[in-house]
Amino acid sequence: MVMDWETGEERAQRTYCDSYEAIPEMGGIACDMWGETPDCSVNNRSQCTESAGCEWRNKQCVETQEQEGTACADQPNERMCSRLDNGTRGCVWSSATESCSDPHPCTIEYGTDRLCSRDRSGVGPCIWKNPVAGGKTCTGTKKCEETPEGWFVRDRETDEMVPCEEYVCVKNPARAPGQCLPQGSEPTDCEALSKRECPLWNNCAYYKHHEDIDDLPACMNVADSHRMVCEDADKNSCRDVDHCTYALYPTANKKEKCYADDYQPPRPDCNFTNTLGLSGKSMQKYCTKFFFLPGDSRRYKQTKKQPVCAYADGMCVDVAQPYEYAG
């Protein structure tokens, strides 16, 4: 509704008001000139937003309409709540009460995780809700390597090196900014959160390898992290808990993996090399390059980073390790 300055009466805004001024004696905003209906016939977002009286909605350029229910409390879900700008830092959605409210002093006062956790103004206690990641955009060719002649990658079909563009990934801006919220806004049951929602809360942890485990949730309360399965956990998740260790056990796997703290790798059978009838340099080379496991005639390659067998006094013997083998 707008005020017609000629009649002093309110009337529906049928057309876009090109200019307006405040007329105190009429108690509000009055249009001093009625313009023509804005031209919103363009089909391009950027042109639409630049056109006076138009807005881009549902993939169409339409005439700007007066919005109802612009109070924080009127927003029915988190998406609409976070999008509403009330002139400070936006409205706040509470996962605990599933309601939208005006921003708490924590939200108004602090705009970063560090300031939020410190709460030097004493408006808290406050907790930080992480921003919604915007993903990343990558250009170039994977496995493209730099050489003195330029960037090249091996063609799978011809097995020849062909020119390529360096593979570069750039993080996109966050789809939704982080927020400093009053303590108690965080969800109490992390197991009910989706894969997208879980990483937003510091009291929750998402374990991707749990997606394939039926009786364990992928999103868990950090307080329940002792339930996390060590096997197949990623490096960060493994190091964040006390009951797992991220280590290299050459007799178990040639790469570093996550293991339970009480895990013991299989013992190598270095003596098996002594029964192969090798001697001299052949024995030394074979012993330092390969190892065997008990009851397994298959040979495994040793790693230079952490060998398990060594040649000493004409014999292939075990290398002392900072851990104990099983058995």
Side-chain angles (χ1 to χ4, degrees):
M1 302 292 291
V2 294
M3 186 86 67
D4 188 329
W5 67 274
E6 292 182 348
T7 65
E9 297 177 354
E10 287 189 344
R11 57 184 292 187
Q13 184 177 354
R14 297 188 304 274
T15 57
Y16 175 69
C17 186
D18 290 325
S19 60
Y20 58 88
E21 60 180 356
I23 304 180
E25 57 269 21
M26 289 188 175
I29 301 296
C31 286
D32 63 3
M33 180 174 68
W34 288 84
E36 298 180 355
T37 301
D39 182 12
C40 302
S41 60
V42 296
N43 56 7
N44 179 280
R45 178 193 287 266
S46 60
Q47 292 179 353
C48 178
T49 54
E50 291 174 0
S51 301
C54 301
E55 66 176 334
W56 187 261
R57 188 167 65 246
N58 297 328
K59 297 183 179 181
Q60 289 183 327
C61 190
V62 297
E63 185 177 347
T64 302
Q65 298 178 354
E66 184 177 353
Q67 296 183 354
E68 298 182 358
T70 55
C72 293
D74 295 333
Q75 310 312 308
N77 55 53
E78 182 178 5
R79 182 179 181 183
M80 295 180 68
C81 179
S82 61
R83 285 187 173 184
L84 185 63
D85 182 7
N86 66 350
T88 52
R89 291 187 188 274
C91 299
V92 178
W93 178 261
S94 172
S95 296
T97 61
E98 294 190 350
S99 61
C100 187
S101 60
D102 291 326
H104 186 272
C106 288
T107 309
I108 299 173
E109 190 75 17
Y110 309 119
T112 66
D113 187 358
R114 184 179 181 184
L115 294 175
C116 183
S117 58
R118 287 185 174 185
D119 186 24
R120 289 186 171 179
S121 298
V123 298
C126 308
I127 57 103
W128 180 254
K129 182 181 180 182
N130 298 314
V132 179
K136 61 182 180 180
T137 302
C138 300
T139 57
T141 306
K142 286 186 176 181
K143 297 184 178 180
C144 189
E145 300 178 358
E146 186 177 16
T147 68
E149 291 77 23
W151 290 89
F152 289 87
V153 65
R154 187 172 297 280
D155 190 295
R156 291 184 178 182
E157 296 181 358
T158 63
D159 200 36
E160 295 180 354
M161 299 298 289
V162 295
C164 61
E165 184 181 348
E166 180 185 4
Y167 189 70
V168 178
C169 292
V170 179
K171 286 186 177 181
N172 297 327
R175 287 184 290 175
Q179 276 188 317
C180 187
L181 307 175
Q183 193 174 66
S185 301
E186 68 274 22
T188 55
D189 182 15
C190 296
E191 296 183 14
L193 300 183
S194 66
K195 183 177 181 179
R196 182 189 69 84
E197 297 170 323
C198 189
L200 303 182
W201 303 98
N202 292 330
N203 66 309
C204 303
Y206 192 83
Y207 302 122
K208 182 175 176 60
H209 64 296
H210 280 194
E211 293 177 357
D212 300 324
I213 303 177
D214 294 333
D215 56 346
L216 280 176
C219 185
M220 301 174 66
N221 289 65
V222 172
D224 296 329
S225 60
H226 60 277
R227 297 168 54 200
M228 189 199 82
V229 175
C230 299
E231 185 179 0
D232 294 328
D234 61 73
K235 186 175 182 179
N236 291 334
S237 298
C238 187
R239 290 184 170 178
D240 283 343
V241 297
D242 296 329
H243 63 285
C244 302
T245 181
Y246 198 76
L248 172 64
Y249 295 130
T251 57
N253 197 292
K254 61 182 179 180
K255 295 182 179 180
E256 287 183 307
K257 291 192 67 176
C258 189
Y259 301 92
D261 266 347
D262 58 355
Y263 175 79
Q264 291 182 317
R267 181 181 297 277
D269 186 6
C270 298
N271 186 59
F272 184 80
T273 304
N274 298 324
T275 66
L276 298 179
L278 303 174
S279 60
K281 291 184 178 181
S282 296
M283 164 74 83
Q284 181 178 0
K285 182 178 180 180
Y286 206 89
C287 177
T288 54
K289 189 174 182 179
F290 303 105
F291 72 90
F292 295 86
L293 295 175
D296 186 359
S297 60
R298 177 187 173 186
R299 68 182 188 183
Y300 298 87
K301 281 188 176 183
Q302 296 197 69
T303 63
K304 293 182 179 180
K305 183 178 180 180
Q306 196 169 339
V308 296
C309 297
Y311 185 75
D313 299 327
M315 299 288 289
C316 192
V317 297
D318 293 359
V319 174
Q321 303 292 351
Y323 50 84
E324 294 185 5
Y325 288 116

